[in-house]
Structures are given as structure tokens and as C-alpha cells.
Amino acid sequence: MIPRRRFLQVAAASTAAAALPALTPATAAHAAAPPEGTLTDLGPASVASPLGNAEIVGGVLYAGSRGLSPNVVGAYDLAQDSVTAHFDIPTGIGVWAMCRVGTDVYVGTHSRSDLYKLDTVAGTVTKVASYPDHFIWTLAASPDGKVYLGTSEPGKVKEYDPATGTGRDLGEAAPGEAYVRGIQADETHVYAGVGANAHLIAIDRATGERRDLLPPELADRDWVSSLSVSATHIAGGMNSLAELVILNKADPSDHKVVKATAPGEKYIVSVLIHDGYAYFAGRPTGTFYRARLDTGELEVLGVPYFEAATHRILAHEGRVYGVQDNAVFVYDPATGSLDYRNLVQRGFRAAAEEPMSVHSDGERVYVGGKSGADIHDLATGETTRLAIPGEPKTMITVHGTTYIGVYTQAALYSHRAGDAEATLLARTGNQQDRPRDLAWDARTGLLVMPTQPEPGHMNGALSFYAPRTGAYTTQRPAVERQTVYSVVTRRGTAYLGTLTQEGLGLPPVTTTARLAAYDLAARELLWEAEPVPGARYISALALGPRHLYGMTNTGVVFEWDLRARKVTRTLKTGSKGGDLHVVGRVAYCTDGDKVYKVDLRAFTAKPIVEGLAGQWFGGEPKLALDPSRLALYGVKGRNLVRIAIDGSR
């Protein structure tokens, strides 16, 4: 295992091994089968310690986590090189935003969006405000001690005054835009970086007057996603061409555009103006750069950790600090040295996160999370961490190889059991970033992966990987002005279920999810239909002998006659859509709280498991079918569970 994996491997293995009873594939197949619906707790599904932001106060770096329960701010003493304290943040599913006012650190959460004050002197945490917005993406403090928030959706700017405890809504930074992802403030103005269509808005703090500082020739960019200001300059990272814009505050027409040079770079994820330079980090490569403010001359300073995302760049006592995943890197401008420090190895709390995907190859269960997947060995009960740069969203095993679709960059990885690392096979390109599903077609020898486009972009894509030749090709769009969300295949035909949302932040132009058939050999759409009126997406598809079965976001299961090409029956199950699996004459599906068994002859449903309250990242419930067809895998809370099933018996 590589070094960055070891902390999770130890934490996950010790917890899971204690909870997991002895179970082998042979035991599952041949021992007396437990009653259908019997749960076996396999321990925490995915153990991690992903970071979202940080601030430095008095020689201590306060780093906020995301995806844990509760989230925490860990105090990393720079001189002692250890985490000396943790402070619980009881609400929200993550910390993306932090700023400093004097010796206080303000912490912004998302889903729900609350603002906390961490008094670093007293060691206390107090919730000071709550907001209806989905996300608090970014925080900044003005020189006079006010706190400014960038939110979504829509993208608003808000002010909180610590002196009075009162707030002010400054409204949408750029009307109609969904996100404020970067924010900074000086004595007179608040600066907001906006997407999904790029704007750099200056808001007069006294009058509320707005003006867009982004040069007209940059108006076609997607985002201004990160910001830093000094007395003389503004620097903003732009997507998706990996550009940094540096503007003279006195005359924004005096500007420079610096292009990040690492091959494949697309995003500038964090920026800091410091000592005559704009320091910034790119994604997906993880490269660390700086550019001179006066000339724009670019230097590549190194890659602290390959493909890691840098969430914040800070300066302290002559050094520059970058916050990445579960670690901090330290750059010394005087010597050019670049040091990497794993914070979990230094005492930062690792805990169960909200998982994103689950898959079983029969001998082990993969659970995807932030920056990798936990692999649960069913025979030994041991859990190891497979580090992957990004978020595994979907997985499938074909001929002993597990394929993993990873956000961002809509990347496809492969992994063989026992290997220490996953192998990057391809990135989709074509402005795609979020894999939605994977399916294998034996007739054509193709792996099919649908993807959602980057924020603000139209048309999802369908990609095809041929393991025999290594060829990777993409068709965009597959279904016009929609994203393909789910896919199954049979004898050279892929059946596609769509999502009306294209790139995030782009208003949908279609109203109903579609079902479509696609010829994998001819690479053409055969037909499409709208099986369930008003459905936003088809969360899953599964094939029976003569029928195709699907599930919508509203929990409706439908039966589609493949010959007549029409819906023959529908059935309302749970409160939302999740995965769906056909096992003989029955199907199993979930809404995240219950697992339902659907009798496909009578077309009736009954719950076989209740009270899971699965804490899936993004609220998208998952359910994996064991190849033995005797078990399902899901989560109860944040623990992986095995669910006994008996199919049609």
C-alpha cells in the first residue's frame, strides 16, 4: 500500500474486523441460508478524513473536515508537528469555508448551511447564524472584521457582523447564476467569483453597487472559482481551461492571463497572493504553481501529491501551506523545498464518511468515498484502503477486473484484487466530469460509462472502453440535452435512462427523463421514449427475460415491454429512487431507508428491510447485488451491511 493509504487502512481494518463475523463466499452459498432480510453488520463502510478548508491562527492550522459525522476542526500545531485538539461541528455534511477574524475562526457548513465561531483562545464553538442556502462555499473577512459568505443556489453574497451578531443579504452576485465559489473583501468592496458562467463581481460594501471586473475577452469562461486579493491586485482561478487571471485593482483592464502548464490541467482550485506572487494549485494534476504579479511569469513549484485537490493556500512566517485531502504541504520560498505532512498520521481524526458507491465482486465489497475506496474482504473481515485521486461513483467487475468510474474528469480506473493501486485507463474529456453508471456488453466486448458534463455545459456523453485493445471512445451527446444516468446492456444494445439535468448550474431545457435504446456496434440511438411523466431521472435499469425494468427519482418502478416498446405496469415503492436488481422473477430496490422486494408477476412490493437510514453522499441511495444472488449490500447509517435475500423462493 502507498503511504497515503496507510492511515485509513489501519483505522478501517481495526473497526471492521471487530464488527465482522466470519463469512466466506462458500459459507454464504452452502450454509443454511438466513431468513430473507437478515442484516449482518460489516462495520464502517468507508473510513476517511477528507479536509475542506483551513485557517492559521497563532502558529496553529485549524483544518475543517467534510463528510464526517460530526465534522470537526482539528488544531494542527505547526511547531509541534501534531494535531493537539478537535472541535466538533455538529451540523452540516461538510466544511468548505473558513476565515479568520482576530483569534476567532469562522466555519461555514453546507446542507445545512450554518455559520460557527471557533474561539481559539477559549476553545469553544458557537453557532452564530443559519441560512436557507444549500451551500456555504466560501468565507472571507474584511479588514474591519466583517464576515462575507458566498453561497448557492442561487449564487448570493451575504454579510455577518461579529460585533453585532446581525447579518445582511447582498443578493445575487450575478443574477441568474447559481454559484459564488470564491469571495474576498477589502476596505471598500466584496469580490465574488461566479459560475457556472464566469463573472468577477465587485460589490460596493456601502452602496451595494455592482460591476463586473472580468475582462470581456474572458466572458466565455465557465467559472471564477477561487480568489485572492491584495492592496493592489486581484487573482482568480478560472475553469475549465486552467487559467489564472491577475487584475490591477486600480485599473482592471490592466490584466494578465496565466495558463497552467501541466498536461491535462483544467481547474485552478485555490489561489493566494503573497509577497509579490500569486500562488495557485491545479486540478486534476495536483501541480503547485506561482506567477509574478508584475509580469505574469509562471513557475512550476512541484506536485506535492499526484492528482490531489488543494482546498486552501495559506502563508505563515515565510512559508506557504496547502491543504489537500487529509494532508498539508509546506513550501519554503527561501529554499524551494516542498514537504508533505499527512495529518491523520499526526493525530487528525479519521471516521466513517458518507459513502458514494458500493459494489461486490463476490469475495469483497468495494465502498467508494472521497479520495478512494475501502475494500472489505468477506473471508477475513479485513478492510484496506485503495487510494484514488477523486471520488469513485460507480463500479463493475468483469473477468476478475474491477472497473471504477471516478469524479472528476470522468476518469475510468481498473483494479485487480491484491494490487496495491488502481490503474488509470482514461479520462473522458469532452467537458465531462461525473460518471453515473457502468455496464458490460459481452457481445461487443465493451464497457459502457455514461457521464454528466461539467458545470455549465450541455449534453452528457456515453463512453466505450474495450479491455482487449485499450481503445476508449466517447459520443456526446448520447441523448440530446440530457445526461445518461443509468445503463444496462444485452446482446449489443445499451438501454439508457436519463437525467434532465445537464451540467450543474445550467437550467434543464427538458422536463422529463427518457428511456432510450442504443446500438453499440453502429454507435447510434435506436429509439427513445418518456416512460413516466414528470420523472426527473431514471435512477436504475434492470433486465428481465422479456421486459426492461426501471426506477425513477420518485420511487416509481416501471415495466417496459421490449417488443411493444411501451410501459405495461407501474408501481410506487419508496420515497425516492435508488438501485434496482432483477433476481429471477423478483426485483430488489431501495430508497435508502427500506429495501423492497418486487414480485414481477403480480407487480406488488413489500419491504424486507426497514430503518436503514442510509447516509449516502448527495442523498443518492445505492444497493449492490452479490454475484451469488443470495445477498445485497447497502449501508445502515454509515455502516456497511449484508442483506440476505432468497430471490424467487
Side-chain angles (χ1 to χ4, degrees), residues 390-405:
E391 299 173 354
K393 296 293 190 182
T394 179
M395 293 174 269
I396 190 172
T397 299
V398 180
H399 303 319
T401 297
T402 297
Y403 296 93
I404 307 168

Side-chain angles (χ1 to χ4, degrees), residues 359-361 581-583 588 623-633 645:
H359 167 70
S360 173
D361 68 2
H581 301 283
V582 170
V583 180
Y588 296 91
L623 191 67
L625 176 65
D626 189 276
S628 71
R629 301 166 78 83
L630 295 174
L632 302 165
Y633 295 94
I645 60 173

Side-chain angles (χ1 to χ4, degrees), residues 3 7 49 61 74-86 321 326-330 339-350:
F7 83 94
S49 190
L61 185 144
Y76 171 54
D77 189 299
L78 300 176
Q80 295 184 31
D81 191 26
S82 65
V83 176
T84 58
H86 290 89
Y321 295 80
N326 52 53
V328 170
F329 67 81
V330 187
D339 184 28
Y340 187 81
R341 304 177 185 178
N342 185 306
L343 291 195
V344 175
Q345 293 175 347
R346 289 159 170 81
F348 200 98
R349 183 186 302 171

Side-chain angles (χ1 to χ4, degrees), residues 321-606:
Y321 295 80
V323 178
Q324 289 187 333
D325 296 336
N326 52 53
V328 170
F329 67 81
V330 187
Y331 174 72
D332 188 339
T335 64
S337 64
L338 192 59
D339 184 28
Y340 187 81
R341 304 177 185 178
N342 185 306
L343 291 195
V344 175
Q345 293 175 347
R346 289 159 170 81
F348 200 98
R349 183 186 302 171
E353 63 174 332
E354 292 183 323
M356 301 185 187
S357 54
V358 62
H359 167 70
S360 173
D361 68 2
E363 297 183 8
R364 57 197 64 81
V365 179
Y366 290 73
V367 181
K370 296 179 179 67
S371 303
D374 272 14
I375 303 176
H376 299 254
D377 188 300
L378 295 173
T380 67
E382 294 181 355
T383 302
T384 56
R385 185 72 172 184
L386 178 67
I388 300 175
E391 299 173 354
K393 296 293 190 182
T394 179
M395 293 174 269
I396 190 172
T397 299
V398 180
H399 303 319
T401 297
T402 297
Y403 296 93
I404 307 168
V406 176
Y407 167 88
T408 61
Q409 296 289 282
L412 181 66
Y413 282 77
S414 68
H415 180 254
R416 293 190 67 87
D419 287 355
E421 299 182 11
T423 300
L424 175 64
L425 300 174
R427 292 192 179 94
T428 300
N430 290 277
Q431 297 175 321
Q432 303 294 296
D433 71 349
R434 193 179 302 269
R436 282 299 183 182
D437 202 357
L438 280 166
W440 167 254
D441 182 64
R443 173 172 289 184
T444 58
L446 291 175
L447 195 70
V448 184
M449 185 170 78
T451 54
Q452 187 170 359
E454 296 171 352
H457 287 276
M458 300 185 303
N459 287 324
L462 207 58
S463 294
F464 314 97
Y465 175 68
R468 186 176 62 84
T469 65
Y472 189 86
T473 57
T474 298
Q475 179 170 329
R476 178 189 182 206
V479 177
E480 189 76 32
R481 298 310 302 269
Q482 295 201 349
T483 292
V484 177
Y485 194 100
S486 51
V487 59
V488 290
T489 65
R490 176 178 285 169
R491 294 191 291 273
T493 299
Y495 297 97
L496 315 174
T498 73
L499 162 72
T500 59
Q501 178 68 59
E502 298 172 275
L504 299 179
L506 190 69
V509 298
T510 55
T511 59
T512 303
R514 299 175 196 159
L515 179 66
Y518 183 92
D519 187 315
L520 291 170
R523 302 288 172 91
E524 64 181 14
L525 204 63
L526 300 174
W527 52 260
E528 56 184 301
E530 295 181 348
V532 180
R536 180 172 173 264
Y537 61 88
I538 297 173
S539 63
L541 293 171
L543 283 159
R546 291 185 59 249
H547 295 90
L548 175 66
Y549 298 92
M551 191 173 191
T552 72
N553 61 295
T554 56
V556 172
V557 175
F558 64 88
E559 179 184 73
W560 176 268
D561 189 306
L562 289 168
R563 294 176 183 173
R565 293 186 188 173
K566 67 178 184 178
V567 171
T568 49
R569 293 183 290 182
T570 62
L571 173 67
K572 179 75 161 104
T573 56
S575 59
K576 64 171 65 172
D579 285 339
L580 174 72
H581 301 283
V582 170
V583 180
R585 296 184 297 274
V586 301
Y588 296 91
C589 60
T590 185
D591 62 3
D593 187 58
K594 298 178 182 179
V595 174
Y596 295 89
K597 183 176 186 176
V598 180
D599 184 323
L600 296 178
R601 290 177 295 184
F603 221 62
T604 57
K606 65 177 182 180

Side-chain angles (χ1 to χ4, degrees), residues 4 49-54 64-66 95-98 137-138 181 225-227 269-271 281-283 307-314 321-327 329 370-371 391:
R4 196 163 70 109
S49 190
L51 304 179
N53 210 306
S65 72
R66 53 194 176 94
V95 175
W96 273 118
M98 299 175 74
W137 285 108
T138 179
R181 290 294 298 265
S225 60
S226 49
L227 285 177
V269 290
S270 51
V271 182
R283 198 175 185 192
E307 291 197 353
T310 302
H311 304 294
R312 185 74 182 274
I313 302 174
L314 301 160
Y321 295 80
V323 178
Q324 289 187 333
D325 296 336
N326 52 53
F329 67 81
K370 296 179 179 67
S371 303
E391 299 173 354

Side-chain angles (χ1 to χ4, degrees), residues 116-131:
Y116 288 86
K117 182 181 79 171
L118 167 57
D119 184 327
T120 65
V121 176
T124 58
V125 176
T126 307
K127 186 169 73 172
V128 296
S130 294
Y131 302 90

